Amino acid sequence: MITPQQVNDLIKTRRSVFQQQYTGEKVDDAIVRQMLENANWAPTHKLTEPWRFVVFTGEGIKKLAQAQADIYKKVTTADGTFKEERFQNLLSKPALSSHIIAIGMKRDGKKSVPEIEEAGAVFCAVQNIYLTATANGIGCYLSTGGVTYFEEAKEFFGLGKEDKLLGFIHLGIPREAPPQGRRKSIDEKVTWVS
Ligand SMILES: Cc1cc2nc3c(=O)[nH]c(=O)nc-3n(C[C@H](O)[C@H](O)[C@H](O)COP(=O)(O)O)c2cc1C
């Protein structure tokens, strides 16, 4: 039986662990499958289950790196904002992660739920992935950088016009235990009415 204290500890010790902090070893695919299974149990209004995932690992990471760098180059060359350093980062940085999971939000045909609720459900799924990573000693973080907000990137991740790419989860074996997190007191953010 899971105790309330174990849940408190899991939530509080969850940390974002970034690529530079990974050893380069591979995370077991079975743990990644468990993360996705747990993601699938996130709350979802009207059971639309809007989360979609594309998991990149091994050669797949190279394909992701090339695709995102190409998309970046095409879009930014057209609008005049291209930066070589950014392009090189998009090409090289993915190799530091064991797995990269693209996070998509799929709109249901009837649009029965407001978009903000669908995005909320997907971020709940992301939290389940984060917590599963913590429980397994896996480094994990959500990135909303790179091509996340490029319309032109959606197709590569199997998303349509109405859907949204919401970011990328990076996974790796952490070199060391992450430092303690910091938060301001919850008392500053809560009003009780009784
Ligand atoms: C919606 C969202 C987007 C994020 N995007 C990025 C990002 O693009 N780059 C990054 O380094 N961290 C990103 N993060 C991770 C935050 O940096 C991290 O959660 C924050 O530093 C708090 O640390 P903790 O997760 O260890 O508590 C994102 C987190 C969330 C919730």
Side-chain angles (χ1 to χ4, degrees):
M1 187 64 190
I2 306 166
T3 67
Q5 192 54 48
Q6 284 171 326
V7 174
N8 300 344
D9 289 345
L10 179 66
I11 290 171
K12 203 166 175 181
T13 55
R14 180 211 56 78
R15 288 281 70 76
S16 292
V17 183
F18 305 98
Q19 302 98 322
Q20 296 82 354
Q21 299 163 284
Y22 302 159
T23 61
E25 292 160 286
K26 244 198 113 206
V27 174
D28 188 344
D29 282 343
I31 296 179
V32 179
R33 284 204 192 89
Q34 186 66 63
M35 287 175 181
L36 297 165
E37 174 64 26
N38 291 351
N40 202 33
W41 286 97
T44 157
H45 195 179
K46 298 198 181 170
L47 282 176
T48 56
E49 302 177 37
W51 41 83
R52 295 292 182 277
F53 304 107
V54 185
V55 183
F56 298 90
T57 190
E59 287 298 306
I61 296 234
K62 291 185 194 156
K63 288 182 194 161
L64 168 66
Q66 192 63 58
Q68 67 174 12
D70 289 347
I71 292 164
Y72 170 78
K73 191 170 197 173
K74 190 167 171 213
V75 173
T76 57
T77 303
D79 69 14
T81 60
F82 178 79
K83 294 201 173 58
E84 180 64 28
E85 191 187 342
R86 194 144 170 62
F87 173 75
Q88 291 302 337
N89 271 341
L90 289 168
L91 260 185
S92 61
K93 264 183 122 177
L96 299 173
S97 300
S98 161
H99 293 69
I100 299 176
I101 308 174
I103 312 290
M105 181 202 81
K106 191 97 187 153
R107 292 295 268 149
D108 69 313
K110 287 182 273 174
K111 298 217 185 79
S112 44
V113 176
E115 187 182 270
I116 192 168
E117 297 187 17
E118 298 295 56
V122 178
F123 285 119
C124 288
V126 167
Q127 174 77 343
N128 284 0
I129 291 175
Y130 254 119
L131 293 175
T132 311
T134 305
N136 285 279
I138 304 299
C140 170
Y141 92 98
L142 172 65
S143 160
T144 45
V147 297
T148 300
Y149 299 121
F150 285 48
E151 271 302 305
E152 296 79 357
K154 288 179 178 174
E155 194 185 344
F156 181 74
F157 300 100
L159 298 167
K161 247 179 132 74
E162 312 267 301
D163 309 329
K164 286 242 164 7
L165 180 62
L166 294 182
F168 299 89
I169 290 262
H170 289 254
L171 301 175
I173 308 285
R175 266 203 295 271
E176 53 195 40
Q180 275 198 346
R182 280 183 301 119
R183 293 293 189 271
K184 293 185 203 107
S185 167
I186 185 62
D187 296 337
E188 296 175 28
K189 304 154 193 159
V190 179
T191 306
W192 284 72
V193 180
S194 53

